[in-house]
Amino acid sequence: FDHCSRLGSDSRGAGGPEDPHGTDRGPYLVIIEQPKQRGFRFRYGCEGPSHGGLPGASSEKGRKTYPTVKICNYTGMARIEVDLVTHSDPPRVHAHSLVGKQCNEAGNCVAIVGPKDMTAQFSNLGVLHVTKKNMMEIMKEKLKQQKMRNRSHLLTDAELREIELEAKELKKVMDLSIVRLRFTAYLRDSSGNFTLALQPVISDPIHDSKSPGASNLKISRMDKTAGSVRGGDEVYLLCDKVQKDDIEVRFYEDDENGWQAFGDFSPTDVHKQYAIVFRTPPYHKPKIDRPVTVFLQLKRKRGGDVSDSKQFTYYPVVEDKEEVERKRKKVLPQFPQHWGGGSHMGGAGGGAGGFGSGGGEWGCLFPLPAWVAAVCPWGLPVGDLLGPGAVHLRAWGGCRTVDGAAAPGSDVLLCPPAQLCHLWMLALARRNAHALLDYSVTADPRMLLAVQRHLAASQDENGDTPLHLAIIHEQTAVIKQLIEVIVSIPSQQIINISNNLQQTPLHLAVITKQPQVVQLLLQARADPTLLDRYGNSLLHLALQAGDEEMLRTLLAHLGSAAPYLLRLPSFHGLLPVHLAVKAKSLACLDLLVRKGADVNAVERQGGRTSLHLAVEMENLNMATHLVKKLGADVNSRTFAGNTPLHLAAGLGSPTLTKLLLKAGADVLCENDEPVSPSSSEASSDTDADPEEQELAGHRQRHCHTPLDLTRSQKVRLFHTGKVLSLDSEVLQGLEQLLNQDCSGSDWIELAKRLGLCSLVETYKDTPSPSISLLRSYELAGGSLGGLLEVLDSMGLHKAVRMLHKTEALDKLQSTELKEDSAYGSESVEEEQAPTLALKPGPGSELPHSQQPQVH
């Protein structure tokens, strides 16, 4: 089998083994067995040699393979050298060295091949992890050897200085957890020396098994495999070890050039590197009429590695989950239907004359209407429903035929005292007749309902009582009449009956937004503490809809139940204050707090407060209101130990971060997530015993502070910029410029560029959205430099000049910068940054060696 014909075209396309003389028939080098990318551990010098060489990509138990290369289109003696290079483009010399039987002191491995077999297999390769102490010297020596190859004269001073600078640069950016093998083949020249180099080939990256990014991606379990087409469903995913800053949850369709989107989560949503809590992205088609199955997988941002795919189903939006609209759309009953479809006053069982017909001296035979069964003095059990409005009773107790035999059939009633039966039926008929006469005079339906009030407890196929149905159809007059009749029944709970969806009449009154009906029910002693099938109370239902009027009504009439309901979580663990934040309603939040709700109360799933939720939503307006007006605790911690500042830093929101810092958030508060040691931290300054290194690592190890996330996550803070302060004259001038209805230079565009998109909906209906936006930006601690930069990028040079006149700036610096995540970075040295101009939180002291620095 010809490996060169199979792999040659691929390898040439990947870099490199082209004919140095420019012909396709020239000799070139190909990799016929790549090294295994994961599962191999780099060793320190103090640990001794590794056990077993670097395996090949296809190596299996019982069938070992190793990295292998071959020179194609050439026969003869040749020399193949292997060294380590960085995982960058272009690849550069790496600080680590190769060790093994075929390797020299310079950290390179050499094999001689030919004259017939041009294949070289490297079966004993190990990777020597350098120490931080020796790194610079090793780098300089490797760079010198690289320049000195095939040179007879010494390096110049300029070249030595260039090598020094290059070594320093590499030390800063080099990833010590990833290496690649560089294979270079040398053919003999006319003098017999191996000096004719073929184009080098570079292997796939090899990950140190100690690194968080070295494990294979794997999804072990998910708590949900389906969600709404609108997205936003929270999913808990268990996985093998992942790196917080280098992982994505990718949704895609199995089509060429098909749709893809990514789950929404921040580094604080990755728990101990083994679990991710993310929110699903919306499907690209918002309206679907049947469930659609897509795929999801874990994906590394940098390397592009992916896990096996799992299926996820998007289902259509359930617009009527409470089934109110479905019930409203049912065909309304018609008057003739209650008389068997015949004449209005005829039909089976119609008319009072039917009562007692067929009766004899010892008994009576008749079908009974439902209301008769309800008031039967003998307590006869109700039988099966045989038609609208009528039931038949089974033989019971002393009901016998004349000869004492059991009554034949089950839909007749035979009563021995015929006279009693007739008297009873006549009394019922007279009672209903009087009710009908009273109704005719007064036009008050309660006259008719009073004699049939026990029927208020009857339920249809959905479990709805007459009161449920009257509320669903918003029949306010009927609701009032039914309530008055129901409360007149002693020792009854008809008003609290739940339907099949566990909805009481009170729940439905809130869902259908009928405050007047809610008030009537509460005054009639309806129980406000009952919960629906999701554990929602009346307050939860009102807040889910953001219904301020309904919330006012409830809080005004709940009485002694109010404190209990304000502290009651739903089955999802959310309290009313949390739902007010999710509904983005400042008015509802204020109502709850005035009634006694605790703004610092935590939800039951993760221990987040209202401020945590506002920060997660990146809702500056809500967060500002919570901090400035309601006095929310800026240092409250979730179950994982995260403060709102942790979340703001992890999300990469400079504005929210500044707001919290200005309110006194503690930059040194640690969460419960230990800082994973990077490769550089794993490197010891001396070749100490590995156990001593491990103990020292535990002593120095700490958990993430907001400052850690700030330094290594998406956000950079520069506290040297001047804080924004705008007077009314400047605000009016900016308002005129931003309200010119010019697309791309209006207040909405300004909101987007300042990272305040969440305020657009809030301020669009205010008298002056631009002034409201600028005031919010100012209140959150926004910088003048940041505002000037954004206005300049929008082409509003007049606004820039206006601000320049009010403030003299020596140097403008933007404070609203975002950068890609570097959380868990493997670089050896962190770039130094300006010291954070903040005092430590209460009770915290900052050692001189740990002065806070941010990027």
Side-chain angles (χ1 to χ4, degrees), residues 517-531:
V517 174
V518 168
Q519 184 175 342
L520 288 171
L521 289 167
L522 289 173
Q523 290 172 346
R525 303 292 181 89
D527 188 352
T529 64
L530 299 177
L531 307 180

Side-chain angles (χ1 to χ4, degrees), residues 448-696:
L448 295 175
L449 292 172
V451 296
Q452 304 184 51
R453 58 186 183 178
H454 291 80
L455 298 183
S458 60
Q459 294 173 274
D460 66 6
E461 69 277 8
N462 297 311
D464 290 314
T465 66
L467 187 54
H468 283 93
L469 295 173
I471 292 171
I472 288 172
H473 292 278
E474 300 185 16
Q475 300 286 354
T476 307
V478 177
I479 295 169
K480 291 179 181 178
Q481 294 156 3
L482 284 169
I483 290 174
E484 290 187 36
V485 169
I486 288 171
V487 297
S488 69
I489 305 174
S491 304
Q492 56 77 37
Q493 285 297 313
I494 298 174
I495 202 167
N496 293 319
I497 290 177
S498 297
N499 63 14
N500 295 351
L501 297 179
Q502 287 184 253
Q503 299 163 330
T504 66
L506 253 179
H507 291 143
L508 285 173
V510 174
I511 291 167
T512 55
K513 299 184 178 182
Q514 301 180 71
Q516 184 182 1
V517 174
V518 168
Q519 184 175 342
L520 288 171
L521 289 167
L522 289 173
Q523 290 172 346
R525 303 292 181 89
D527 188 352
T529 64
L530 299 177
L531 307 180
D532 71 3
R533 65 194 186 282
Y534 302 115
N536 292 318
S537 69
L538 303 178
L539 294 183
H540 290 107
L541 293 172
L543 289 163
Q544 285 171 1
D547 192 339
E548 182 185 347
E549 182 186 0
M550 180 62 71
L551 183 62
R552 286 183 186 277
T553 302
L554 288 171
L555 293 176
H557 295 88
L558 282 175
S560 60
Y564 169 75
L565 293 177
L566 289 171
R567 298 190 300 269
L568 184 69
S570 68
F571 292 165
H572 293 295
L574 295 173
L575 274 64
V577 287
H578 303 133
L579 291 175
V581 172
K582 284 182 168 288
K584 303 178 183 179
S585 175
L586 299 180
C588 288
L589 184 60
D590 286 342
L591 285 171
L592 294 171
V593 172
R594 282 200 296 270
K595 198 67 176 178
D598 181 5
V599 75
N600 294 315
V602 300
E603 50 86 24
R604 301 298 192 261
Q605 286 188 329
R608 295 167 296 177
T609 65
S610 299
L611 185 55
H612 284 99
L613 293 173
V615 171
E616 277 187 353
M617 296 163 62
E618 298 189 69
N619 191 328
L620 177 64
N621 194 35
M622 180 63 72
T624 303
H625 188 77
L626 283 164
V627 171
K628 300 290 184 181
K629 184 176 179 181
L630 301 180
D633 182 4
V634 295
N635 291 314
S636 56
R637 293 157 59 91
T638 65
F639 296 159
N642 289 308
T643 65
L645 189 55
H646 281 97
L647 303 185
L651 287 168
S653 174
T655 313
L656 282 169
T657 303
K658 284 183 185 178
L659 168 68
L660 297 169
L661 290 172
K662 192 175 178 182
D666 184 4
V667 295
L668 299 180
C669 181
E670 294 186 3
N671 65 11
D672 300 335
E673 183 86 3
V675 176
S676 300
S678 65
S679 297
S680 61
E681 293 168 343
S683 302
S684 175
D685 288 341
T686 60
D687 286 336
D689 186 272
E691 292 184 5
E692 294 180 6
Q693 290 181 8
E694 185 174 355
L695 289 173

Side-chain angles (χ1 to χ4, degrees), residues 205-459:
I206 305 164
H207 298 261
D208 185 0
S209 62
K210 299 188 299 293
S211 167
S215 60
N216 291 318
L217 295 177
K218 181 181 178 182
I219 297 174
S220 301
R221 187 170 180 176
M222 296 187 300
D223 76 320
K224 287 181 184 175
T225 58
S228 169
V229 69
R230 292 177 177 172
D233 291 283
E234 196 170 68
V235 179
Y236 287 69
L237 182 150
L238 304 183
C239 56
D240 283 2
K241 195 172 186 180
V242 295
Q243 197 169 343
K244 292 175 180 290
D245 72 311
D246 191 31
I247 197 67
E248 296 175 315
V249 181
R250 175 178 176 255
F251 285 70
Y252 68 96
E253 284 187 306
D254 196 18
D255 298 323
E256 291 186 12
N257 302 318
W259 164 80
Q260 73 168 5
F262 295 91
D264 178 28
F265 64 95
S266 71
T268 53
D269 293 318
V270 182
H271 179 70
K272 309 290 186 185
Q273 299 180 319
Y274 293 101
I276 303 172
V277 181
F278 67 91
R279 284 153 293 283
T280 59
Y283 187 56
H284 65 102
K285 296 177 182 176
K287 293 184 179 180
I288 55 176
D289 55 6
R290 62 186 65 188
V292 174
T293 297
V294 300
F295 299 92
L296 69 83
Q297 60 185 188
L298 293 175
K299 180 182 178 182
R300 285 195 174 93
K301 294 179 183 177
R302 289 194 282 269
D305 307 334
V306 297
S307 69
D308 291 338
S309 298
K310 306 296 180 186
Q311 291 187 335
F312 187 87
T313 301
Y314 280 110
Y315 54 76
V317 175
V318 181
E319 300 286 359
D320 187 30
K321 69 175 183 178
E322 305 294 354
E323 299 191 19
V324 171
E325 292 302 321
R326 178 185 71 83
K327 294 172 183 177
R328 285 176 178 172
K329 291 176 181 177
K330 289 179 65 176
V331 178
L332 294 178
Q334 300 296 319
F335 176 69
Q337 292 176 352
H338 289 275
W339 302 97
S343 64
H344 294 331
M345 302 302 293
F355 296 141
S357 60
E361 182 180 356
W362 295 95
C364 57
L365 176 63
F366 55 88
L368 296 176
W371 55 266
V372 175
V375 297
C376 178
W378 297 326
L380 301 182
V382 178
D384 299 331
L385 283 168
L386 300 180
V391 296
H392 287 250
L393 303 182
R394 298 181 183 276
W396 184 263
C399 297
R400 300 282 178 175
T401 56
V402 176
D403 58 2
S410 61
D411 50 354
V412 295
L413 177 64
L414 293 177
C415 304
Q419 293 83 358
L420 287 178
C421 184
H422 281 292
L423 291 173
W424 174 52
M425 291 306 304
L426 287 172
L428 290 176
R430 288 194 189 99
R431 186 177 180 186
N432 282 276
H434 283 303
L436 182 58
L437 291 171
D438 291 341
Y439 168 68
S440 302
V441 175
T442 64
D444 187 349
R446 290 174 298 179
M447 299 297 180
L448 295 175
L449 292 172
V451 296
Q452 304 184 51
R453 58 186 183 178
H454 291 80
L455 298 183
S458 60
Q459 294 173 274

